[in-house]
Amino acid sequence: MLPKINISIIRLVIWEIDMSTATKHTSELTAKIINPLLSSTRDVFEMMLDCTPVRSGLSLKTKNSPENELSAVIGITGNASGTIVLSVKKQTALNIYESMLGTKAVEIDREVMDAIGEITNMIAGAAKAKLESYSLSISIPNLISGKGHEVHYPTGVTPICLSFESDMGSFCIEAGFASKE
């Protein structure tokens, strides 16, 4: 079982990075969604890929470029708005595809991207179910590939990046949320 993240530590770090009230408020919301996102990631990887991811890092994002060359991006709306991103390396994407479909792929093509989008959709859907009080809706995944691509979050939000290691390879879940208040 993955250890829960201490939200008060995240709040303290966010507060020290940017003392503005708007950023503090929206970044605290991002911190509140991290544990449901963490457990949803674990649950989906265990159920669909028969592997248990191990969290290897937690950081606040300071740039718009995800860590890896393929990203599945899901928009969130409701009593909060934001973005969830699954960012994977090429080999991780190929391994996930093979595990899901039992077929090897050598390049990131439309089918591999669909598999990554589906895993991301499952993670976001499971997290949404754990965050009922926010009455969230999720978009269909959008896939972006290529080194240096950018993903933008709601204004004033400092996204969080959860890094993982798994039998599929390394990957990151990035998230940034703003309250509708």
Side-chain angles (χ1 to χ4, degrees):
M1 178 178 218
L2 295 172
K4 287 192 173 192
I5 295 172
N6 185 334
I7 293 173
S8 60
I9 291 172
I10 294 172
R11 285 182 183 142
L12 178 62
V13 170
I14 291 167
W15 182 255
E16 289 175 357
I17 288 174
D18 187 341
M19 302 260 296
S20 77
T21 303
T23 299
K24 178 183 168 289
H25 179 69
T26 57
S27 295
E28 283 183 0
L29 178 60
T30 298
K32 287 178 185 175
I33 62 95
I34 290 301
N35 283 320
L37 195 53
L38 182 67
S39 63
S40 296
T41 301
R42 180 197 62 233
D43 293 347
V44 169
F45 267 68
E46 287 176 348
M47 179 178 58
M48 296 304 299
L49 304 172
D50 197 30
C51 76
T52 301
V54 176
R55 186 171 45 88
S56 57
L58 168 69
S59 61
L60 296 173
K61 292 196 52 71
T62 58
K63 59 182 180 152
N64 291 330
S65 297
E67 297 298 315
N68 302 300
E69 63 257 33
L70 177 61
S71 296
V73 181
I74 291 189
I76 308 290
T77 59
N79 292 333
S81 63
T83 305
I84 295 174
V85 178
L86 171 63
S87 173
V88 298
K89 294 180 179 181
K90 176 183 176 183
Q91 192 57 53
T92 303
L94 298 174
N95 292 343
I96 289 171
Y97 175 80
E98 182 177 359
S99 182
M100 288 179 74
L101 297 164
T103 304
K104 258 195 187 307
V106 293
E107 291 298 323
I108 294 178
D109 60 15
R110 185 178 190 155
E111 290 181 1
V112 172
M113 291 175 72
D114 283 347
I116 299 306
E118 186 55 34
I119 288 292
T120 308
N121 193 41
M122 288 182 217
I123 291 169
K128 172 189 166 219
K130 295 174 183 178
L131 295 163
E132 284 181 61
S133 64
Y134 292 101
S135 300
L136 301 175
S137 295
I138 60 175
S139 71
I140 60 170
N142 290 298
L143 282 289
I144 307 169
S145 63
K147 292 185 190 264
H149 65 273
E150 292 189 355
V151 174
H152 297 273
Y153 294 86
T155 303
V157 170
T158 302
I160 292 176
C161 178
L162 295 165
S163 302
F164 293 89
E165 294 297 328
S166 76
D167 292 345
M168 298 294 118
S170 61
F171 65 95
C172 298
I173 297 284
E174 301 174 2
F177 284 82
S179 173
K180 289 289 186 167
E181 297 172 359

